[in-house]
Amino acid sequence: MELKITDLSKQFKEVAAVDGVSCTMTSGVYGLLGVNGAGKTTLMRMLCTLNTPTSGQITWDGQDIFSMAEAYRRILGYLPQDFGYYPDFTVEDYLLYIASIKGLRPVVAKKRTTELIRQVGLDRASGRKMKKLSGGMKRRAGIAQAMLNDPQILILDEPTAGLDPTERIRFRNLISELSEERIVLLSTHIVSDVEYIAKEILLMKDGRFVCRGTAEELIASMPEKVWSLTVPKKEVEAYLRRYKVSNVKAVPNGAELRILSAELPAGSQAAQLQEATLEDVFLYHFGERSGDGNGEV
């Protein structure tokens, strides 16, 4: 089981949405982490054969996925960020309908639908109309439809968008459970979605992989240190302009800043070194100082 991407690029007029990326995936969860516009969705659409590359290749066990055509799509499950459904279908009817489109025999479709409804925790909602479901329930129904054909490759584009913290945790647990004996590629801009379940995290920026590895490897690779410093309120803006600040916490008579800097922040002998987190790595690669113009902290 090997999904291999080699020097893959996708050009839209003057914009390189994906720019020469390469990686090899085997069974397990892979986190594709980056801000909106980084190229994540374009990459996923090529992995689903919805977009053709400008250059490069994607292979499944050595075969080009575009040459495999329908044979590849039979082993693929895909949950786009915005997936379509008929609002007046019940959850069960929706899954049976998708199963018929995917070519599952009625007996197999019924059995698979029952199994998946239980697995994603929608037992009590199977007879409810899709339009009556909460955002988290709809996402779980979306996962179920992507799993109907028991895919070897499961691709999820921003699956936790709009979910509350409880539903996000439930979703992560479900993804971890589904990753056995298949490749799961999960795209997100939320660090916690992949921090604890991904065997490898791919940080994507401007169409390229800028860093990759386990959460521990990414943290260890960050050249900047993390400092904690309390400053008067009147000095906060100056620090925001000068440094990447991952957190600002109000305290009596000032603010506690979490600062990324290779050296001790200037004029702050009281700064204390802190252990870096994956959130800090994300800020290092994707954040900007507020003085850089269009950045946010």
Side-chain angles (χ1 to χ4, degrees):
M1 180 183 294
E2 180 185 86
L3 184 63
K4 187 172 183 179
I5 302 169
T6 307
D7 295 326
L8 195 70
S9 295
K10 180 63 177 180
Q11 192 87 14
F12 293 105
K13 294 184 179 180
E14 302 301 318
V15 178
V18 175
D19 189 8
V21 301
S22 298
C23 72
T24 300
M25 289 177 274
T26 54
S27 60
V29 178
Y30 291 79
L32 184 58
L33 188 61
V35 296
N36 293 331
K40 306 188 302 296
T41 294
T42 300
L43 173 59
M44 289 186 147
R45 286 180 62 84
M46 286 191 286
L47 288 169
C48 294
T49 69
L50 297 173
N51 285 349
T52 55
T54 303
S55 61
Q57 188 178 39
I58 308 170
T59 59
W60 171 252
D61 286 344
Q63 299 183 68
D64 182 271
I65 66 170
F66 292 92
S67 299
M68 291 176 67
E70 187 58 35
Y72 175 73
R73 286 186 282 276
R74 280 197 296 268
I75 63 168
L76 177 70
Y78 177 44
L79 176 62
Q81 187 171 353
D82 297 306
F83 69 97
Y85 58 85
Y86 289 102
D88 287 319
F89 275 22
T90 65
V91 172
E92 183 177 19
D93 288 341
Y94 165 68
L95 293 178
L96 289 172
Y97 171 69
I98 297 298
S100 68
I101 292 176
K102 292 188 175 187
L104 274 68
R105 291 184 294 110
V107 174
V108 175
K110 181 65 176 178
K111 180 181 178 182
R112 189 75 179 136
T113 293
T114 301
E115 291 173 349
L116 286 169
I117 285 175
R118 176 192 52 76
Q119 190 170 14
V120 302
L122 289 176
D123 311 62
R124 297 182 179 180
S126 62
R128 291 174 62 180
K129 292 184 178 181
M130 292 291 293
K131 66 182 179 182
K132 297 291 187 179
L133 301 182
S134 67
M137 287 181 172
K138 286 176 183 174
R139 284 282 158 188
R140 281 185 266 157
I143 281 283
Q145 67 81 22
M147 288 290 298
L148 280 166
N149 57 329
D150 195 18
Q152 293 177 272
I153 305 167
L154 182 59
I155 296 180
L156 311 171
D157 192 0
E158 298 283 358
T160 64
L163 301 190
D164 62 36
T166 301
E167 281 287 5
R168 185 170 285 121
I169 292 169
R170 183 200 295 268
F171 211 90
R172 286 201 299 267
N173 293 339
L174 175 59
I175 298 308
S176 183
E177 177 186 337
L178 294 176
S179 67
E180 296 181 13
E181 299 182 357
R182 63 171 53 86
I183 295 170
V184 178
L185 179 61
L186 189 160
S187 161
T188 185
H189 62 277
I190 301 170
V191 172
S192 60
D193 282 352
V194 296
E195 185 170 9
Y196 302 109
I197 64 171
K199 65 183 284 187
E200 185 173 6
I201 299 170
L202 309 167
L203 270 66
M204 192 170 193
K205 181 178 182 180
D206 298 330
R208 298 182 178 182
F209 295 151
V210 295
C211 195
R212 57 185 295 182
T214 65
E216 293 77 13
E217 288 169 344
L218 294 182
I219 291 169
S221 72
M222 190 175 72
E224 292 192 345
K225 299 174 183 177
V226 182
W227 307 86
S228 176
L229 173 66
T230 300
V231 302
K233 289 181 181 179
K234 63 181 180 180
E235 296 181 15
V236 171
E237 190 60 36
Y239 278 94
L240 291 176
R241 286 195 299 268
R242 186 166 185 178
Y243 297 103
K244 291 179 179 177
V245 180
S246 62
N247 192 56
V248 180
K249 178 183 178 182
V251 296
N253 302 317
E256 184 180 314
L257 308 181
R258 188 175 177 88
I259 296 173
L260 272 61
S261 173
E263 306 294 337
L264 181 74
S268 53
Q269 299 303 316
Q272 300 292 316
L273 271 174
Q274 303 292 315
E275 287 190 13
T277 66
L278 194 59
E279 290 274 6
D280 296 319
V281 177
F282 186 87
L283 178 70
Y284 170 73
H285 287 285
F286 300 106
E288 297 176 339
R289 296 180 296 274
S290 61
D292 289 342
N294 59 354
E296 295 181 359
V297 294

